[in-house]
Amino acid sequence: LDDFFTTPALKALLGFDAIVGNYVSPYTPGNGYNLLHHLLGEVNGESGRWGHAIGGMGSVSDAMVKEGTKYSVRYHTNAAVEKVIVENGSVKGVITENSKVYEADTVVANVNPMLLFNHMLAETELPSDLASHFQQYKCGSGAFRLNVALNGLPDYPGRQVPDCLESGIILGPSLEYMDRAFLDANRNGWSSNPVIEMLIPSLVDDSLAPEGHHVASLFCQHFSPELGEKWDVCKEQAVASILETVEVSFPGFKSLIEGIQVLSPWDLEQQFGLIGGDIFHGRLSLEQLFTARPAIGLAQYEMPFKGLFLCGAGAHPGGGVSGLPGHNAARRILA
C-alpha cells in the first residue's frame, strides 16, 4: 500500500481487511492473504462483493432448513454434540449433551477443528501427530462485537454524502492507528482506541427494527483472545472504549442507545464455540491454509476415520459465509 498510495485514510480503507478477524498489526508479514481472502467470491454475479441477508444471518439457516425439508431432512436444534462415536476406525454416530445417541455411518462436522479433535473425539483414537497438531492449532481473532438497538440514526457532522450510512463505516483513519490498536491490545488486553466497522443494516432491511428505530453492529478489533474468562470482569471497560471511539465521529451516538448486546472473545467462545473468539475456525495464516487446512493430509474434507468429514470455516478455503467448504465437502461425500 505504501508503494502505491500516499493518503493515510485510503491506505487504511484498503488495509482494513488485512486485520479483520486477524489478531495482528497491519505491518505483520503475511497478512496480505487475509486482505485477499476478504475480496474473494461474489454476490449476485459481482466479484469481490459482500451481501446482506434480508432478515439477518438467521435467514440463511432458515433457507437451508426450508430446502432440506423438501428432501425429508430432520433437524434437531438445541442439541449440542458432546462426542463423535468411533469404533474400529469408523464413525458410528454422535452423542449429544443430553446423552441422546444418533447412529450414523457418515458424520459431517461444521465446527472448529479444535473442538472436533480435542473435545469430540477420544484422545486414544487419535494418532499422536494429529493430537499434537490440534493442541497447537492457532485460533484467536481478537474480535469484539456489539449489537446495538438505536432510537434514531447517528449523525456524522459536516458530511453531506448521500446514503453514506448504508455503507460499511470504518473507524480507523490510518495504518499507524491500526498498528497502535494492536500494540495497545497486546500490552493491556484491549485497545483504548479500537478499530471499528459500524454497519446499520436496518437502513437496507426494514425487517430488523420498528419504523423510526435502527440496529447497528459494531465489529471491533483488537481485543486479546488470551484474556479468556477474564473478559467477564473487564469487558465493560472495553465497551466504554468502543463507545467513546464511536462518539468522537458520531457525537450523540450513546444517547441513541436503547439496548446493547456485548460479545467479547470469551463470549463468542462460550456461546458459539468460536475458540478464542476466532470467527474463522482457525487463523488464516499460511501454515493453516490450502493443503494445510485443517492439517496436512486432511485438506480433502475427509478426516482420519471412515465416514467422518469436516466442512465449515475450518476447512478449505476458510472463513466467511461463502458456502464453499460445504459445497466441496458435499462433493467429496457423494464421491
Side-chain angles (χ1 to χ4, degrees):
L1 289 171
D2 286 337
D3 288 343
F4 287 94
F5 304 104
T6 57
T7 306
L10 179 58
K11 287 192 282 188
L13 175 67
L14 297 173
F16 170 72
D17 281 332
I19 67 163
V20 171
N22 197 16
Y23 188 49
V24 296
S25 161
Y27 300 121
T28 300
N31 67 11
Y33 175 78
N34 204 70
L35 190 156
L36 172 66
H37 189 87
H38 284 85
L39 301 179
L40 297 172
E42 63 178 43
V43 172
N44 297 336
E46 295 189 41
S47 296
R49 297 284 184 166
W50 288 69
H52 168 76
I54 297 299
M57 289 304 293
S59 64
V60 177
S61 302
D62 292 340
M64 294 171 67
V65 169
K66 185 177 180 181
E67 184 69 13
T69 302
K70 297 178 185 178
Y71 300 94
S72 300
V73 175
R74 288 171 295 169
Y75 296 90
H76 303 274
T77 57
N78 297 312
V81 172
E82 187 171 75
K83 183 181 178 182
V84 176
I85 305 168
V86 176
E87 294 178 7
N88 300 319
S90 299
V91 296
K92 299 299 181 181
V94 298
I95 302 174
T96 61
E97 285 184 345
N98 61 2
S99 300
K100 190 163 184 178
V101 176
Y102 293 89
E103 295 182 355
D105 57 12
T106 300
V107 172
V108 190
N110 184 15
V111 297
N112 186 308
M114 283 190 78
L115 277 181
L116 177 62
F117 283 92
N118 294 353
H119 299 283
M120 296 180 179
L121 289 166
E123 188 175 350
T124 54
E125 299 277 359
L126 288 179
S128 59
D129 57 338
L130 272 186
S132 175
H133 173 80
F134 286 108
Q135 286 165 5
Q136 300 175 53
Y137 191 72
K138 296 178 177 64
C139 290
S141 62
F144 197 108
R145 176 70 174 250
L146 297 186
N147 295 319
V148 187
L150 304 171
N151 60 21
L153 280 175
D155 180 46
Y156 192 30
R159 296 297 174 96
Q160 302 298 322
V161 180
D163 305 320
C164 67
L165 294 182
E166 295 180 12
S167 303
I169 302 159
I170 299 172
L171 306 182
S174 68
L175 296 178
E176 289 77 11
Y177 176 100
M178 296 177 180
D179 179 52
R180 287 194 298 272
F182 170 70
L183 295 174
D184 202 8
N186 219 23
R187 181 172 54 249
N188 302 321
W190 63 89
S191 172
S192 56
N193 294 288
V195 183
I196 302 169
E197 182 179 28
M198 179 165 71
L199 298 173
I200 309 175
S202 50
L203 281 171
V204 296
D205 180 359
D206 59 13
S207 72
L208 298 178
E211 187 175 355
H213 297 254
H214 290 278
V215 291
S217 66
L218 305 180
F219 186 40
C220 313
Q221 329 285 320
H222 286 294
F223 298 83
S224 174
E226 296 170 6
L227 285 184
E229 59 187 10
K230 293 180 182 177
W231 273 115
D232 285 342
V233 296
C234 61
K235 66 182 176 183
E236 292 308 317
Q237 295 167 267
V239 170
S241 71
I242 292 168
L243 295 180
E244 285 300 326
T245 300
V246 176
E247 191 79 10
V248 170
S249 296
F250 294 89
F253 180 85
K254 289 193 287 186
S255 66
L256 297 173
I257 296 176
E258 293 184 309
I260 188 166
Q261 180 188 38
V262 179
L263 295 168
S264 70
W266 180 246
D267 294 323
L268 292 171
E269 178 171 324
Q270 297 305 300
Q271 294 186 38
F272 305 110
L274 302 177
I275 305 296
D278 197 322
I279 60 174
F280 295 139
H281 285 190
R283 199 166 71 185
L284 297 178
S285 50
L286 293 178
E287 80 281 11
Q288 294 186 175
L289 287 169
F290 307 111
T291 56
R293 194 168 190 89
I296 296 291
L298 301 183
Q300 295 297 322
Y301 310 97
E302 195 165 2
M303 299 299 102
F305 303 104
K306 185 179 180 182
L308 179 61
F309 298 85
L310 180 73
C311 64
H316 176 74
V321 186
S322 67
L324 286 170
H327 173 269
N328 293 349
R331 291 184 64 184
R332 182 71 173 182
I333 294 163
L334 291 172

